[in-house]
Amino acid sequence: MTTTLPTRRTPLVTLTTMVDLVTFGSATRSADLRAARARRLHAEASAHAAAELELMRASDAERFAVACAAPFRERLSLELTSAARDGRRAPLLQLMTVPGASGRWRSALAHDFEVSDAATTASFVRIRTTLAHSLAPRSASCATILAAQCLHVATAAAGVGHWSRSDALAAATPLMDLMVGLHGSWESYAASFLAGERTCGRPDDVRHVVFAQVVGRLLNDSRSPWLELAWPDAEAA
């Protein structure tokens, strides 16, 4: 006697069911993306609001020091570009607080200036500050680019935690005094910065073109600290 096993029927997935499944998955992914974007925008808005409050409390010295370093900061962060896109101001071009993740800025300091901690920051700023003052009588442009580098390193180092703000301001003070003595306007500072960047170091045409574009934005963008902050008067300073 032969026993016949019952036929096992596999349920068929209809085309409609498959479409429903794909549609559901796509809708879920879209919802997740929208939620992630909303969280990111909320975090950015909170950070920008906090920066605006911080700017209200910042000293004139901090704002001027970071504004002098703005070509380096804007080149790295494109703060003016993103501010224009989002319809906001650009307070982080006047504050030691660094835009975005501090790890990125630590990497940039290490890569561009070989600065990785308090000791290397102090060494970099001390050596180049002395050199900037010694070169100033003979080459304002070389003194300007060295001072700008020092101001960038000092203020960014404070932003990532290598230095305290008070240490950064103490180091920045003689550099700011030097710049105010050499220049009478942001336009003069900008021209000298570009001349020094091109002639007082290893030549790099691509880098110079980028800095020229950045400096152009700083001179013309309504959100730029160079249009918001008046250049200090030498006698008052």
Side-chain angles (χ1 to χ4, degrees), residues 72-86:
F72 295 101
R73 185 167 284 229
E74 173 64 11
R75 179 188 176 212
L76 180 60
S77 67
L78 295 178
E79 182 70 5
L80 286 178
T81 303
S82 60
R85 180 196 64 215
D86 299 338

Side-chain angles (χ1 to χ4, degrees), residues 93-104:
L93 292 178
Q94 300 181 53
L95 296 171
M96 292 189 195
T97 301
V98 295
S102 61
R104 178 170 174 247

